[in-house]
Amino acid sequence: MLSVPFVTHAQTLDVMHWWTSASERSAANALAQAFNSHGLQWQDAAVEGGGGGAAVKVLKSRVLSGSPPAAAQIIGTMLTDWADMGLVLPLTRVAAQEAWKQQIFPEVLHLVTHKHQPIAVPLGIHRINSVLYQRTIFDKLEMPPPRDWAALEGVARRLRNAGITPIAWSDENWQVATVFEAVLLSYAGPELYERLVRARHPEAWLDRRVESALNRLRWLRDLNGPMQRQESNWIDNVKAFHAGRFGILMNGDWVRGELLALTGSSDSSSYCAPMPGTEGMHLYSIDTLSMLKGSMSKQSEQEKAAALLTSVTLQRSYNRVKGSVPVLKDIDPKLLDSCAHESWSTFANPRAHRVPSLAHRMAASEATKEAAAGVLQRFVLNRGVSAQQTQQQLAAVMRTLLKENSRK
Ligand code: BGC
């Protein structure tokens, strides 16, 4: 632990993030409590909106107006962009003293390292290719969670025959993109997926396997029958799923955290399985907090806060409520519930394929993610747009990114 000067009153750090659902709030509270018990005061600056689109805009405007928060949920490629602009405090001292190299998964450390310096504290690993099946409904119909697309088709038919709306769907662009990337991983496989989302080969988006993934996305959207545009909030969808109004819930595993907040026990109300065709693969989104340089130096408090966040105890309590898994490589997975156990073990397995999320900024910039999510949303909402046209549009988005990257 970093040695810090004795403080007589709590030092305030304002923390900006987009954790506003019940489970996200309790996860943030776990962090805030750790701050409090070490003489730091977490001043909450949450901005509502799943996936963080709104929070990122507010953060940018605070930075532009010269009043950045002391810490912010900055994730994925945004980290390097912000570090390049000199806005982020390097955490080299903290990382050395807390032995991050020995403690944290190398892939995670790589993600938060820029120009040989750690620039964010990794908090937890979310799995995007995870699907939940409503346990009461599946038990009643005596159906196991499907493991491939044919089985999922059978399940959907049986749900409909039993008068149950198959899937908790939302047309919000980030939710469409979140489901799509897991479907894409299933159809493309990890090698092609990686090439696609890293945007090094825009023409790869014209591959037949991308077309199949798009068709499957439209199939999923159509499972509930004809539907008007429906941008349901992810939190409401979790509540409705919990109440037994839907059989299937597809989203990152933060939805598991939210179910836990509703039920008090993570495994009780759903079965969890990887997206069909993605067994042994981990499509990840990693939550990270960066410390921002402001006009007033709070460096010692920021370093103290950063040092707290990777402790084993805090990692366990935070990730349990959040639905994610610890970023630490030496934990006892038996302490995790079955779904988290599978996620952590897959991530920890060097032979498993770990691939980055596009929808959650792990692979491409905020602008690219927004553009791709917009294209996908138009595809599911507009029957007149074909899969091939959508592939062309996605290739164009990636071409722009490739140009941006080559200018850097
Ligand atoms: C974040 C999660 C959050 C989810 C829903 C993702 O981008 O990584 O921490 O729970 O969005 O808001």
Side-chain angles (χ1 to χ4, degrees), residues 256-312:
R256 265 176 18 86
E258 200 58 16
L259 276 178
L260 173 65
L262 292 172
T263 61
S265 132
S266 59
D267 270 343
S268 67
S269 64
S270 62
Y271 289 109
C272 147
M275 180 67 87
T278 67
E279 199 122 358
M281 303 175 201
H282 199 298
L283 203 177
Y284 64 82
S285 171
I286 296 167
D287 277 321
T288 43
L289 265 192
S290 273
M291 303 296 156
L292 299 182
K293 292 180 188 166
S295 49
M296 292 226 314
S297 176
K298 292 191 169 181
Q299 185 167 343
S300 70
E301 292 82 7
Q302 287 169 310
E303 288 185 337
K304 182 178 177 183
L308 291 172
L309 298 174
T310 50
S311 86
V312 180

Side-chain angles (χ1 to χ4, degrees), residues 13 21 142 144 148 174 189 252 282 313 315 343 369 397:
L13 294 177
S21 75
E142 295 180 358
D148 56 37
W174 75 272
H282 199 298
T313 338
Q315 277 277 309
S343 169
K369 167 228 129 190
V397 168

Side-chain angles (χ1 to χ4, degrees), residues 18-21 23-24 49-53 73 75 124 126 128 174 178 234-235 251-255 285-288 318 322 324 357 359-362 369:
W18 60 89
W19 297 315
T20 54
S21 75
S23 57
E24 291 174 333
Q73 185 183 5
I75 67 177
H126 276 298
I128 307 285
W174 75 272
T178 302
W234 72 272
I235 306 162
N251 209 322
D253 56 9
W254 41 86
V255 293
S285 171
I286 296 167
D287 277 321
T288 43
Y318 162 86
K322 186 70 181 68
S324 43
S357 161
H360 296 272
R361 313 169 180 84
M362 297 295 119
K369 167 228 129 190

Side-chain angles (χ1 to χ4, degrees), residues 90-199:
L91 297 170
T92 318
R93 217 158 66 94
V94 178
Q97 294 194 28
E98 298 301 310
W100 282 10
K101 240 191 210 141
Q102 287 75 39
Q103 308 279 344
I104 295 176
F105 284 118
E107 296 74 14
V108 175
L109 212 49
H110 176 74
L111 184 88
V112 297
T113 304
H114 183 52
K115 298 191 175 149
H116 310 292
Q117 290 182 316
I119 48 172
V121 192
L123 296 172
I125 305 167
H126 276 298
R127 191 178 194 187
I128 307 285
N129 58 321
S130 120
V131 184
L132 298 185
Y133 300 98
Q134 223 282 353
R135 192 181 281 256
T136 318
I137 297 175
F138 273 64
D139 284 352
K140 201 158 145 210
L141 297 178
E142 295 180 358
M143 297 190 294
R147 294 274 163 173
D148 56 37
W149 290 109
L152 185 63
E153 286 174 12
V155 155
R157 256 193 313 274
R158 290 195 56 197
L159 288 170
R160 262 197 309 262
N161 291 344
I164 296 157
T165 312
I167 189 167
W169 185 263
S170 171
D171 290 322
E172 267 189 346
N173 69 4
W174 75 272
Q175 293 196 60
V176 173
T178 302
V179 175
F180 175 68
E181 63 186 13
V183 174
L184 182 65
L185 177 61
S186 167
Y187 280 88
E191 283 83 17
L192 176 59
Y193 176 92
E194 186 98 28
R195 261 193 291 143
L196 292 166
V197 301
R198 298 265 184 215

